[in-house]
Amino acid sequence: MWTGDDLQRLVSRELSDYRLIVVSNRQPYVFRIENGAPRGQMPPGGLTAAIDPLMRACGGTWIAQSSGADDRAAMDDAGRIAVPPDAPAYHMRLLNLSEEENNGFYYGFSNEGLWPLCHIAYTEPMFDSEQYGFYQSVNRRFADLVLDEINDDPAIVLIQDYHLALLPRYIREANPDAIIGQFWHIPWPNPDILRICPWQDEILDGMLGNDLLGFHLSGDCQNFLSCVEANLDAQVDPAYGLIDYRNETTLVRPFPISIDFASLDNEARSAEVADEMARLSRELGLHRGRILGLGIDRQDYTKGIPHRLRAVERLFEKWPQYRGQLVFLQAGAASRTNINSYMQLTIDIEATVNRINERFGHDGWQPVLYWPTSLPTATFSALRRLASFCAESSLHDGMNLVAKEYVASRVDEDGVLILSAFAGAAQELTGSLIINPYATEQFADAIHQALTMSETERRIRMRQMRNTVQENNIYKWAGRIMMHLMQASTPDHAGLTSTATTA
Ligand code: F6P
């Protein structure tokens, strides 16, 4: 099993001559003044939780947009913040965007254009020239900050996600020697879908400024290669996952992202979590024999939250024995709340929760609880440990790390994971009950199956999934990316094999 120490050793053996720079829109720690001092907290979302362990192990600089009300108060004289706040291991350098820039770049082209374009969730992408202009100019501003940070030293730049598709090209043009990799945290569409984006060629050209381009799944890699073949004057080698374009080569590979299994496992065994479990058991009536079902998501229309609630509703219709017994808790913070489709989602969720509670609830029992706030990590861990099942019903999802977090927290090797076939995690977590979130009847049946499964079967399935996540943890993910980056940056791509697009 890979550990942070293994990753640290690999990086200091192979990459000690290079500065490591991670770039993402989202910052790993957001600062707010509490009791007179800036306090750093990790924002919701898989990206920061996944990359922070890599940076803790390797050190370096993480460049991101400033979104914390009091980030400035935490900065040193050079504008850097040493993080994690409790045990500093790397630096954060932040870019301030105006409201107009953020509206065009983040809410606009990134989240009203690229996000729905890359997810098959039937929300129409919006493409607006002015927003795209901000996407370009903000990518340029990120490039300026990266180049300033590189300061002509040998550097590895690891770019995260769809907000920064143009950044690799901008860095490459100014600094041909930098080693540049990008990990795309969301799915990649096929050419028929991509072609509705008016700036598809420029987006592809930007991404081909990378030496290495990573997606979660081999299907995403294949889609990307097909898009390049269909749109650009490039040599595409699908067997090797190699693209030759503008006298440069980009290696395209799948790297299914993961979590820091050991850290979640340890936390789930802690006294703090045990206390939290006792408190929640009383609050939710579990100590009186009630059963907990759980959904945790950043509130997003791709997560299939209304679909999940409809399946819970159908369960209560079809199997009345769960009335008065099962409590389904939907937790997780709101996100991207300035965008209409997200506002509409909140209205839909609230209406569905109210309908179910009015239909089935009675004195002393509320069938569905809805907690759309951020909660302490110990509370999430306790909820995962207490839940008889966790349902993740994404309509389309690059990976879905909540599913892996549920598995890592089940140190008792119990609990059932119900997982959408359309989440990347379904390819690895084969011990879950795989569902189609659109098929309400089948989904309700899966919940019933979870609640009636024998303890022996639950344990066999959970043990198998825990082994998978423990083995394929975030350190292995980061180690594989680092090794491929080194290979990709050598002129002859030494050591590359033809297993190009298999995970
Ligand atoms: O899943 C895609 C993603 O961008 C993640 O990489 C990130 O953690 C999450 O969405 C959160 O999104 P945002 O930064 O918009 O809050």
Side-chain angles (χ1 to χ4, degrees), residues 358-466:
E358 273 162 27
R359 272 189 76 188
F360 300 106
H362 53 67
D363 286 346
W365 175 63
Q366 190 177 323
V368 181
L369 300 176
Y370 175 47
W371 293 357
T373 47
S374 37
L375 298 168
T377 52
T379 305
F380 278 123
S381 180
L383 287 171
R384 290 191 289 260
R385 283 216 49 190
L386 290 169
S388 299
F389 70 90
C390 174
E392 287 306 308
S393 49
S394 304
L395 307 182
H396 197 191
D397 211 334
M399 179 51 60
N400 195 307
L401 292 181
V402 173
K404 293 187 175 181
E405 287 167 353
Y406 180 63
V407 166
S409 298
R410 294 315 300 238
V411 292
D412 56 352
E413 300 184 332
D414 204 348
V416 180
L417 175 65
I418 300 175
L419 182 57
S420 167
F422 314 132
Q427 299 200 2
E428 288 174 88
L429 301 180
T430 51
S432 60
L433 298 181
I434 303 284
I435 51 105
N436 169 357
Y438 294 92
T440 308
E441 195 72 20
Q442 180 216 25
F443 194 167
D445 290 350
I447 300 176
H448 177 61
Q449 188 188 344
L451 293 173
T452 51
M453 191 182 283
S454 72
E455 188 181 338
T456 312
E457 183 176 349
R458 293 199 303 264
R459 288 189 186 286
I460 290 171
R461 287 171 177 266
M462 186 53 78
R463 212 171 285 147
Q464 184 228 321
M465 291 192 287
R466 282 176 59 79

Side-chain angles (χ1 to χ4, degrees), residues 26 45-47 106 115 161-163 185-186 298 336:
R26 186 61 63 200
L47 186 152
Y106 171 75
W115 179 267
D161 234 346
Y162 59 98
H163 315 86
H185 289 252
I186 63 177
R298 185 177 55 76
R336 306 176 192 167

Side-chain angles (χ1 to χ4, degrees), residues 9 49 66 100 105 128 137 203 252 309 327 357 375 393-394 405 429 438:
R9 265 195 297 277
S66 174
E100 200 186 20
F105 157 74
D128 175 286
S137 59
I203 296 286
V252 181
L309 293 171
V327 175
N357 286 339
L375 298 168
S393 49
S394 304
E405 287 167 353
L429 301 180
Y438 294 92

